[in-house]
Amino acid sequence: MQNLILLFVCFLAGILLRRLNRLPEETPAVLNGFIIHISLPALTLLYFHDIDLSPGVFAMAAMPWLHFGLAAGFFLLAGKLFKLPRMTVGALILTGGLGNTSFVGLPMIEAYYGKEGLVHGIIVDQLGSFMVLSTLGIFTAGIYSNGKLSALSILRRVTAFPPFIALTAAVFLMPFDYPEWFALLLGRLGDTLAPIALVSVGYQLRLSHLSGNTRNLVLGLSFKLLIAPLLLSLLYLGLFGMQGLPVRITLFEAAMPPMITAGIIASEHHINPPLASLMVAVGIMASFFTLALWWFLLGAW
């Protein structure tokens, strides 16, 4: 519950700071840079280091990859049908294809399923969502921000992405125990992600952005909060016949609102920042209602 309150407080703080003109216009860029270069790498080094890479985790880890693939296909098709601008399609793929499986997902899992469900959420987040963001997410941002890039240019963007560097380091450090002081340091730095990210999102949110973006916002959130979780549920529960707490939590994570960092990446690459910010902010608020629905449906399936 404390984490959910933190989300609301920081989001509202960002809105108020904008309204009161207490911070410069460049504030979101500075906050986003801090997140990408410090907060996210610290969290990756801390949590990925202790994940048990057993064969049973791959079905859970596969969900965000499938989710992103569905989003790419859905929004590319929608872009052609509705003649959406190229940058709009890119923003929808990024924010509609990547879920907030950590800072909204983990508190929600604890609230609905108890602490025993958190380990499954961490697997989905670290092996799934975060790796999709660090690879396919950066790949997509590179394509939509600068047109067609060479494979070498995209590879450079991915490998130079600070969280990806931290992910690689965490894999190599798995055989070694972190000193207590180092783990505490990473934890403190990682704790800055949620409050700073929500302040940044709130600061960038303007109700005027709804003008001209209402249809795109409804399209994006309908897919992210309803259509994608439904399709993945049919796949995991219907076609594969999977059961149990791990798969329910995996699908619960599929229903999370758009990832804050995906919105930040879209903004950093100038891929329709107003729509990306709306997807994140409105998505978080709407998810408090849709997640309750999915918890009931998954329990009754």
Side-chain angles (χ1 to χ4, degrees), residues 29-41 189 192-193 196:
V30 174
L31 295 179
N32 296 347
F34 185 92
I35 290 167
I36 290 171
H37 289 86
I38 296 178
S39 306
L40 272 173
L189 291 174
T192 62
L193 191 150
I196 291 178

Side-chain angles (χ1 to χ4, degrees), residues 7-8 11 100 104 108 198 201 221 225 257-260 278-289 291:
L7 294 179
F8 276 116
F11 177 65
N100 196 329
V104 174
M108 286 295 189
L198 265 296
V201 171
L221 292 182
L225 301 178
M259 183 189 287
I260 296 170
L278 284 172
M279 282 286 291
V280 172
V282 178
I284 288 174
M285 292 185 286
S287 70
F288 283 92
F289 301 98
L291 286 172

Side-chain angles (χ1 to χ4, degrees), residues 184-257:
L184 289 173
L185 173 65
L186 293 176
R188 289 293 181 90
L189 291 174
D191 286 343
T192 62
L193 191 150
I196 291 178
L198 265 296
V199 169
S200 176
V201 171
Y203 195 89
Q204 294 177 80
L205 180 65
R206 296 172 178 82
L207 292 179
S208 59
H209 287 167
L210 285 170
S211 177
N213 273 318
T214 303
R215 182 192 64 177
N216 300 332
L217 179 65
V218 171
L219 178 68
L221 292 182
S222 295
F223 175 84
K224 181 68 197 76
L225 301 178
L226 299 172
I227 298 173
L230 176 60
L231 293 175
L232 290 164
S233 295
L234 292 173
L235 179 66
Y236 276 75
L237 300 177
L239 185 61
F240 295 157
M242 300 176 68
Q243 295 293 332
L245 182 63
V247 72
R248 287 202 302 274
I249 289 178
T250 299
L251 296 171
F252 192 64
E253 286 276 56
M256 292 300 154

